[in-house]
Amino acid sequence: MEQSGVPLCSTCGEQVGLNDNGEVFVACHECNFPICKACFEHEINEDHRVCLRCGTPYEERTKDDDFHEIKVHENQPTMASEISNSQDVGLHARHVSTVSTVDSEVNEESGKSIWKNRVESWKGKDKKNKKKKAAPKAENEASVPPEQQMEETRPTEAAAAPLSVVIPMSKSKIAPYRTVIIMRLIILGLFFHYRVTNPVDSAFPLWLTSIICEIWFAFSWVLDQFPKWCPVNRQTFIENLSASRFEREGEPNELAAVDFFVSTVDPLKEPPLITANTVLSILAVDYPVDKVSCYVSDDGAAMLTFESLVETADFARKWVPFCKKFSIEPRAPEFYFSQKIDYLKDKVQPSFVKERRAMKKTPEEGWTMQDGTPWPGNNSRDHPGMIQAFLGHTGARDVEGNELPRLVYVSREKRPGYQHHKKAGAENALVRVSAVLTNAPFILNLDCDHYVNNSKAVREAMCFLMDPEVGRDVCYVQFPQRFDGIDRSDRYANRNTVFFDVNMKGLDGIQGPVYVGTGCVFNRQALYGYSPPSMPNLPRSSCCCCPSKKSTTNVSDVYRNAKREQLEAAIINLKEIDSKLNYDEHERSMLISQMSFEKTFGLSSVFIESTLMENGGVPESADPSMLIKEAVHVISCGYEEKTEWGKEIGWIYGSVTEDILTGFKMQCRGWKSIYCMPLRPAFKGSAPINLSDRLHQVLRWALGSIEIFLSRHCPLWYGFAGGHLKWLQRMAYINTIVYPLTSLPLVAYCSLPAICLLTGKFIIPTLSNVASVLFLGLFLSIIITSVLELRWSGVSIEDLWRNEQFWVIGGVSAHLFAVFQGLLKMLAGVDTNFTVTAKAAEDTEFGELYLVKWTTLLIPPTTLIIVNMVGVVAGFSDALNGGYESWGPLFGKVFFAFWVIFHLYPFLKGLMGRQNRTPTIVVLWSVLLASVFSLVWVKINPFVNKVDSETISETCIAIDC
C-alpha cells in the first residue's frame, strides 16, 4: 500500500521509504534528491559517493546492519583523466562542458597529477565542513544564502500540489484523427501505384513531372503530419507556485531570478518608442523586483536608443507603481491606452482616473544629450563597448519609494575585421554580461517589438522550470507568438495560427516545441552546452513515439559508471575553485585555466565561475567594484575568438534563423522543451501586414533553413551519435529545413494546368472506376483530416484556408528565391539582396495593408496567375471549337487551373491594392514573360508527333488521286 506524501525514487520509480525514525529517507541533505535505500546502497557499493543532482558528497552515516560508514574514496580520479575518458567513449558530464579540452599542463613532467595535493587539501576541508553540518539545522540554513539552497521537501498538502499538469487530447478526438491519417497513408500508396502504372504516353514529360512533384508533396506531408501524432495541452497552477512553495508569508522569497533580454539594432526601422514600450512592460511584470533584470542590447550603438532608454527609466518610476497598484493589463503604455475598452470597469479606487490622465501626458521636451560630449557610438561599425545601469537596488526608486527592477543598457564593442554574427552575437554578449552582473538561472528573450501582454507570464514559465519533477531536464519554455495590428481577415496568414496552435502542440507531446526566436524562457545551464541533469531512460532501440511505460534503470553500465566518476572528479575540482580559504585570485585563475574552461567560455574568471553556479547568483569571490569593468571585457569584439561561443554554447552561429539551430542543438543533447499557452497571451508583437514585407520576412526564414540544410548541423545527419533526439522530433526539424525545397515542384505543378490547357494534353489518362474511387478517397481523406485537426486544435477553418493559400504564395515566390540565394551564398559565396521600393501608404487603419512595394519576389506568382488565366481562356476556346466531346476533358484541366488561381487570390488582391494601383513594372514583366512563354510553347509544341517529308510523300503516292 502506497504512503501518501512519500516521493518516488528517481532511479527505480518506487517509493523512497522511511528511515528507522519513521521519517522520509533522505540521502542528500543539500537538495533532497529522491532516491530509495536500495538504490542508495547500490550507489555506495559501486563507489558512487556523490549526489546525482547537486554533486555534493554524501555525509557520513552509520547503520546497525550492513550499512557501513561512507567516506570519500582515497583514489579519486583527476579531472584531466576523467574528461579524457569521457571523450573516448563520447559521453557528457553534467558539470563539465561537453566541448572542453584538456591542456597539456594538467600533468607535471613526472607524470604525477598536479591535482593530488589539491584533493588532499579538499578532503581536509571536507571533514571540517562535516563537523559544521552537525550544528542545528536552523543555523545551517541561516549560513547558506537562499538562492543557493535547493527546494526542500515539505510534507504538507499545499506543498504537494502540482504546479502544472499535462492534459492529453481526449480519445474521442485523437483516435479518429490517427485512424484517418493511417487511411490517408494507405490511399496515397494505392494512388501512387495507379499513377506510376498508368503513364500518359501522349504527354509523357508532363506526366513524369507531375509524378515527381506529387511524390515530393507526399513526402512533405509525412514530415509535417506525423510530428502531430501526440498533441497535448498543459495547465499551470500559479496559485500553487505562490502560496505553497516559494512565496510563503514571513519567509524569504525563493522564486528564481530571471534576466530579460531585449534586442534592437536600427532606431529608424525599430523606433525607440516600440522598444520603450517593451522595456516598460518588463519592468512592470508581476514578479519580485529583486528577481528581475532587463538587459537592452543596442547593436546599432545609436544615441537615440540610449537617450530614449534614459527617459524610459525615468518614466518607469511613475508607470510601474501605477500598473501594480491598479493591476492593469497590458503593461505597455502605448497598447494600454490604445485599447477600445471601458477602462473604468472594475476600477473602484477614486484616484484611478486622475493617475491615468497623468500617465497619458506626453513630455514636451525631446531627447537631448546633457553634457554635449560626442556619442561614442557615432560610428555603428567601430565603437567601444558601452554599459549603463539604470534603476535597480542602487538606482532611483519609484515615486512611492519602492525598489525597481534593474535596467541595463548594453552595446557590445564593434571593430572592423571582426565577425559580429548579428542577433545571435548580440544575444551571446547579453548572456555574458548578465552572468557577470546578476547571473539569474533563467533568461527570457524578447524582440524589441514584443511586449509583455500578461504580467504573470514569468510565473507561468516558473510553474514548469521550478517544478522539481518537470523542470530538471527542461531547456526552455516557449510561448506562442500573438500579434497586434493585423487585419481581421489575416490575408497573408501573419498570425501563423496553424503553426502555433497545431504543430507546436504536437511537438509538445514528443520532446517539446522548437525555439522561435522570441517569447522564450531559457535555462541558463542549457545555453552553456551542458547536458541535462538526468539523461532519458529510454534505450536507444526504443520507439520515440511509443515509449515504454516501465522506466528502465540501466541504460548502459558504461555510461552510468563514466558519468558518475567524472561527476565525482569534477565536484572535487570545482569545490577547489569555489573555496576562498587557501587560494587567492591568481591561483583561482590558474585552476580555471588548467581545467581548460578558458578554451570554452573565454578569458574571464568571473564569468567562468558564474557558469558553475547552477542556481544562479554572483560568485562570492567577485569584487562588486570590478563587475562593470569585467562586463565590458566580456562584450569586447575579440572575446569569442578561439572559444566555443556560437559553436557549442550560447546562440549558435551559421544561419540567419539562429533560433531553430539553437533549440535543435539543445534537444540533441537530451534536453526537452515545453509549450505554454496561457489564456491571456503572454506576449504580443507586430507583424508586417504588407505583402512585400511579409514575403521578405518569409524569404529570410527560408534562407536560414537552406543555410542549416547545407551546414554540418543538418538534422538529416547531425545528432545521431548521442541518440537523445527522438525520431518524430527529428522529422519535425527535417521539415523545418527542407520546406523551401518544395518551391521547385510547386512552381512546376502550378504551371502544369496552363500547359495542359494550351496544348490540349493532360497528366491523367481516362479514369476507370477504380481510379475514380482512389481520387475520391484521396480528396475525402484530405478533407476529413483537416476537419478532425480543426476539432482537436480549435483552429478556425478560415485560418486553415489562409495558411493553405499562403503556403502556395510563399512557395512560388519567397521560398523559390531563398533556394537559389542559399545555394549561391553557401556554395559560391555570393550574397544577393532583393531591394524593396515603397509607394506612399494611406493614412488610415491598416493603410499599410494596401501599400504596394516593388520587389523581384512579385514576378513568379504574378506570372503564374496570368499564364493560368490565359490557359483557361484558351481551353474554353478550344472546347467551343471542338464540339461536345471536348467539354469532358476540359473539366479536369479547368478545375486544376482554378485551384492555382484560388490559392493565389490573396496575392492578386494585395497586388492590385485598394484602387488597383499596381506598379507598371510588375504588370509589364509578368505579361511579357507570360506572352513569351505561351508563344514559344505554341511554336515548339513538343507533344505533337513529328512527321518527316518522306512519310508525307509515301502517303501521297499511296493515295489514288
Side-chain angles (χ1 to χ4, degrees):
M1 182 175 179
E2 294 188 358
Q3 299 170 339
S4 60
V6 179
L8 300 180
C9 176
S10 297
T11 303
C12 65
E14 301 293 335
Q15 288 190 332
V16 299
L18 306 177
N19 58 17
D20 296 337
N21 297 329
E23 300 176 350
V24 177
F25 176 78
V26 178
C28 177
H29 291 283
E30 290 293 327
C31 66
N32 295 319
F33 182 66
I35 183 172
C36 64
K37 289 183 180 180
C39 294
F40 178 71
E41 293 177 8
H42 174 75
E43 295 295 323
I44 297 304
N45 294 334
E46 294 292 329
D47 285 338
H48 304 150
R49 306 176 183 275
V50 294
C51 177
L52 303 182
R53 173 188 286 177
C54 66
T56 304
Y58 290 127
E59 297 182 15
E60 297 180 3
R61 63 173 79 218
T62 305
K63 286 186 61 176
D64 296 335
D65 47 16
D66 57 347
F67 202 89
H68 302 288
E69 182 176 344
I70 302 171
K71 296 182 180 179
V72 179
H73 198 274
E74 294 293 334
N75 298 320
Q76 293 285 359
T78 65
M79 171 70 76
S81 62
E82 291 306 317
I83 297 179
S84 300
N85 292 337
S86 66
Q87 291 175 343
D88 291 339
V89 297
L91 302 175
H92 299 280
R94 171 65 186 88
H95 290 284
V96 181
S97 174
T98 60
V99 295
S100 296
T101 57
V102 182
D103 289 338
S104 59
E105 293 86 357
V106 174
N107 293 326
E108 296 177 339
E109 295 180 359
S110 61
K112 182 180 178 181
S113 173
I114 65 172
W115 295 102
K116 184 174 182 179
N117 295 332
R118 303 296 191 190
V119 173
E120 295 295 335
S121 61
W122 178 84
K123 286 160 48 178
K125 281 179 275 186
D126 185 56
K127 293 180 180 179
K128 295 180 181 179
N129 292 335
K130 289 176 180 178
K131 293 181 180 179
K132 294 180 180 179
K133 288 179 182 179
K137 184 177 181 181
E139 295 181 7
N140 187 30
E141 290 184 351
S143 62
V144 181
E147 61 271 13
Q148 296 295 333
Q149 295 180 0
M150 300 296 292
E151 179 189 10
E152 294 186 359
T153 304
R154 307 173 194 265
T156 63
E157 182 179 354
L163 297 179
S164 64
V165 293
V166 178
I167 306 176
M169 297 294 173
S170 63
K171 292 184 178 180
S172 61
K173 293 182 179 180
I174 203 64
Y177 178 67
R178 293 173 177 172
T179 303
V180 172
I181 291 175
I182 299 300
M183 292 178 58
R184 182 174 173 182
L185 198 62
I186 296 173
I187 294 174
L188 269 177
L190 298 175
F191 171 79
F192 282 122
H193 178 267
Y194 168 79
R195 292 282 281 131
V196 172
T197 57
N198 292 271
V200 182
D201 296 330
S202 61
F204 187 80
L206 294 179
W207 170 83
L208 182 61
T209 302
S210 66
I211 288 293
I212 295 173
C213 294
E214 289 165 1
I215 291 176
W216 179 265
F217 295 152
F219 172 70
S220 299
W221 171 77
V222 170
L223 291 180
D224 179 71
Q225 187 67 67
F226 279 90
K228 296 182 283 188
W229 186 263
C230 306
V232 297
N233 289 316
R234 295 181 186 269
Q235 182 179 358
T236 57
F237 303 98
I238 299 180
E239 61 278 5
N240 295 340
L241 181 74
S242 303
S244 63
R245 303 190 180 191
F246 305 104
E247 287 186 298
R248 290 197 164 197
E249 187 177 355
E251 297 182 6
N253 192 300
E254 297 181 4
L255 286 175
V258 180
D259 289 337
F260 286 78
F261 291 177
V262 179
S263 302
T264 184
V265 181
D266 189 351
L268 299 179
K269 296 180 180 179
E270 300 166 336
L273 184 61
I274 295 178
T275 305
N277 274 279
T278 301
V279 171
L280 288 169
S281 68
I282 292 173
L283 298 179
V285 294
D286 183 7
Y287 208 70
V289 293
D290 59 324
K291 306 286 185 177
V292 176
S293 299
C294 178
Y295 294 84
V296 179
S297 172
D298 177 19
D299 223 30
M303 181 184 67
L304 180 60
T305 302
F306 176 82
E307 288 299 314
S308 65
L309 204 61
V310 174
E311 297 293 334
T312 301
D314 184 61
F315 181 68
R317 298 176 60 242
K318 296 178 288 185
W319 175 252
V320 172
F322 170 74
C323 293
K324 294 184 176 181
K325 181 177 180 180
F326 299 106
S327 301
I328 68 168
E329 297 283 358
R331 298 187 176 182
E334 180 180 3
F335 299 96
Y336 169 70
F337 290 117
S338 63
Q339 292 182 114
K340 297 178 180 180
I341 60 174
D342 181 11
Y343 63 86
L344 294 178
K345 185 179 180 181
D346 299 330
K347 298 295 187 299
V348 295
Q349 299 189 38
S351 61
F352 171 70
V353 175
K354 181 179 179 181
E355 294 190 25
R356 185 181 187 276
R357 290 173 181 171
M359 293 298 108
K360 199 172 182 179
K361 284 187 178 180
T362 304
E364 297 180 359
E365 62 274 8
W367 318 122
T368 57
M369 289 288 288
Q370 296 181 356
D371 55 4
T373 57
W375 175 247
N378 283 333
N379 187 346
S380 61
R381 299 183 179 180
D382 187 4
H383 64 84
M386 296 176 285
I387 295 178
Q388 177 64 51
F390 305 98
L391 308 179
H393 64 280
T394 59
R397 295 178 176 267
D398 63 25
V399 293
E400 298 180 359
N402 299 319
E403 183 180 341
L404 289 168
R406 184 193 298 258
L407 176 61
V408 182
Y409 170 87
V410 179
S411 181
R412 56 180 174 146
E413 181 185 18
K414 286 191 175 181
R415 301 297 182 191
Y418 288 90
Q419 281 285 348
H420 301 294
H421 303 289
K422 299 181 179 179
K423 179 183 176 181
E427 295 288 347
N428 284 337
L430 289 182
V431 170
R432 297 191 293 272
V433 169
S434 62
V436 171
L437 297 181
T438 52
N439 195 34
F442 302 110
I443 294 171
L444 195 159
N445 85 293
L446 289 173
D447 289 342
C448 65
D449 59 346
H450 278 69
Y451 64 91
V452 180
N453 184 66
N454 184 346
S455 62
K456 297 185 182 294
V458 182
R459 295 179 180 269
E460 296 276 357
M462 290 302 117
C463 286
F464 302 108
L465 293 170
M466 296 192 69
D467 191 319
E469 300 298 327
V470 177
R472 297 178 57 214
D473 295 339
V474 175
C475 55
Y476 59 82
V477 175
Q478 178 66 61
F479 291 88
Q481 292 186 17
R482 302 296 187 224
F483 301 99
D484 287 319
I486 298 177
D487 60 301
R488 182 174 300 176
S489 64
D490 192 14
R491 181 185 297 174
Y492 308 122
N494 283 282
R495 293 190 178 93
N496 285 326
T497 307
V498 173
F499 174 75
F500 286 112
D501 290 10
V502 180
N503 295 72
M504 296 287 266
K505 283 184 179 180
L507 292 176
D508 198 20
I510 309 173
Q511 200 170 339
V514 298
Y515 168 44
V516 296
T518 184
C520 185
V521 185
F522 283 97
N523 183 336
R524 186 184 286 269
Q525 294 294 307
L527 284 171
Y528 290 155
Y530 293 132
S531 298
S534 61
M535 305 304 293
N537 289 329
L538 283 173
R540 295 184 182 180
S541 60
S542 65
C543 177
C544 60
C545 56
C546 300
S548 174
K549 294 183 179 180
K550 184 178 180 180
S551 61
T552 57
T553 57
N554 294 319
V555 178
S556 171
D557 292 337
V558 175
Y559 167 77
R560 290 184 59 179
N561 293 336
K563 184 177 186 297
R564 303 295 198 288
E565 290 173 358
Q566 61 181 279
L567 178 61
E568 190 174 359
I571 291 300
I572 295 175
N573 294 324
L574 299 185
K575 285 283 187 179
E576 281 296 309
I577 293 179
D578 290 336
S579 173
K580 298 192 301 180
L581 298 177
N582 298 332
Y583 306 115
D584 56 19
E585 187 64 27
H586 176 70
E587 289 178 321
R588 294 163 62 80
S589 299
M590 287 288 291
L591 291 174
I592 292 174
S593 178
Q594 289 165 347
M595 293 171 64
S596 302
F597 281 105
E598 289 182 350
K599 291 185 178 180
T600 301
F601 296 109
L603 299 172
S604 173
S605 59
V606 176
F607 173 73
I608 292 174
E609 287 190 65
S610 70
T611 65
L612 307 177
M613 306 179 67
E614 186 176 352
N615 299 320
V618 179
E620 296 181 0
S621 61
D623 184 1
S625 62
M626 299 296 292
L627 289 182
I628 291 294
K629 182 179 179 180
E630 190 70 20
V632 173
H633 166 62
V634 298
I635 61 172
S636 59
C637 54
Y639 182 85
E640 294 184 356
E641 287 191 344
K642 298 181 180 180
T643 67
E644 296 298 334
W645 283 102
K647 302 173 186 176
E648 298 293 337
I649 61 176
W651 270 257
I652 306 301
Y653 305 149
S655 172
V656 294
T657 52
E658 70 288 329
D659 44 8
I660 296 294
L661 197 54
T662 302
F664 173 65
K665 292 274 288 187
M666 291 181 182
Q667 293 187 336
C668 282
R669 297 189 186 103
W671 292 94
K672 65 179 181 180
S673 56
I674 284 179
Y675 197 49
C676 182
M677 297 182 65
L679 294 178
R680 180 180 179 85
F683 311 100
K684 279 190 175 182
S686 57
I689 63 174
N690 173 265
L691 174 60
S692 302
D693 292 340
R694 172 68 167 145
L695 289 178
H696 273 269
Q697 181 189 56
V698 175
L699 171 65
R700 187 179 68 84
W701 294 343
L703 177 59
S705 296
I706 295 297
E707 289 175 341
I708 298 175
F709 176 72
L710 298 174
S711 70
R712 72 181 185 92
H713 291 117
C714 178
L716 287 170
W717 51 74
Y718 183 85
F720 282 97
H724 304 312
L725 193 67
K726 298 181 179 180
W727 280 102
L728 288 182
Q729 193 78 12
R730 185 175 295 276
M731 287 179 62
Y733 275 111
I734 292 175
N735 187 43
T736 61
I737 64 159
V738 302
Y739 77 89
L741 300 177
T742 307
S743 61
L744 300 176
L746 186 60
V747 170
Y749 210 68
C750 289
S751 303
L752 289 178
I755 298 174
C756 292
L757 288 166
L758 291 173
T759 61
K761 310 296 180 180
F762 200 40
I763 58 176
I764 300 175
T766 304
L767 294 179
S768 62
N769 293 334
V770 176
S772 301
V773 172
L774 284 177
F775 276 90
L776 182 61
L778 182 61
F779 279 108
L780 287 177
S781 65
I782 293 173
I783 295 173
I784 296 174
T785 303
S786 301
V787 170
L788 294 177
E789 200 167 86
L790 297 179
R791 185 166 173 247
W792 66 254
S793 66
V795 177
S796 67
I797 190 171
E798 182 181 11
D799 290 328
L800 186 66
W801 173 237
R802 292 300 186 198
N803 182 78
E804 184 75 14
Q805 286 180 312
F806 196 78
W807 175 75
V808 177
I809 295 172
V812 300
S813 57
H815 297 172
L816 180 65
F817 280 85
V819 171
F820 292 105
Q821 186 178 359
L823 291 174
L824 289 174
K825 181 178 180 180
M826 300 299 292
L827 301 180
V830 179
D831 195 2
T832 57
N833 292 311
F834 302 101
T835 58
V836 178
T837 305
K839 296 182 66 176
E842 298 179 8
D843 190 16
T844 59
E845 186 179 11
F846 306 122
E848 190 179 353
L849 177 66
Y850 308 102
L851 178 66
V852 180
K853 300 180 181 180
W854 158 245
T855 173
T856 318
L857 302 178
L858 301 179
I859 294 179
T862 307
T863 304
L864 286 174
I865 290 177
I866 295 177
V867 167
N868 278 276
M869 287 182 174
V870 171
V872 170
V873 174
F876 276 101
S877 176
D878 291 341
L880 291 172
N881 295 329
Y884 178 78
E885 295 180 353
S886 301
W887 289 96
L890 178 65
F891 175 76
K893 302 173 187 177
V894 172
F895 174 80
F896 199 3
F898 274 108
W899 179 89
V900 176
I901 295 173
F902 285 156
H903 277 79
L904 294 176
Y905 176 72
F907 172 84
L908 181 62
K909 191 174 181 180
L911 194 66
M912 303 305 292
R914 174 173 287 176
Q915 299 175 357
N916 299 332
R917 300 176 304 172
T918 306
T920 306
I921 191 170
V922 175
V923 177
L924 179 63
W925 274 99
S926 301
V927 172
L928 178 62
L929 290 177
S931 303
V932 171
F933 178 83
S934 303
L935 292 175
V936 170
W937 190 270
V938 173
K939 179 66 177 177
I940 298 175
N941 204 2
F943 300 107
V944 176
N945 294 330
K946 303 295 183 181
V947 182
D948 56 354
S949 59
E950 294 182 2
T951 305
I952 296 176
S953 61
E954 292 176 0
T955 304
C956 292
I957 294 173
I959 297 176
D960 186 4
C961 298

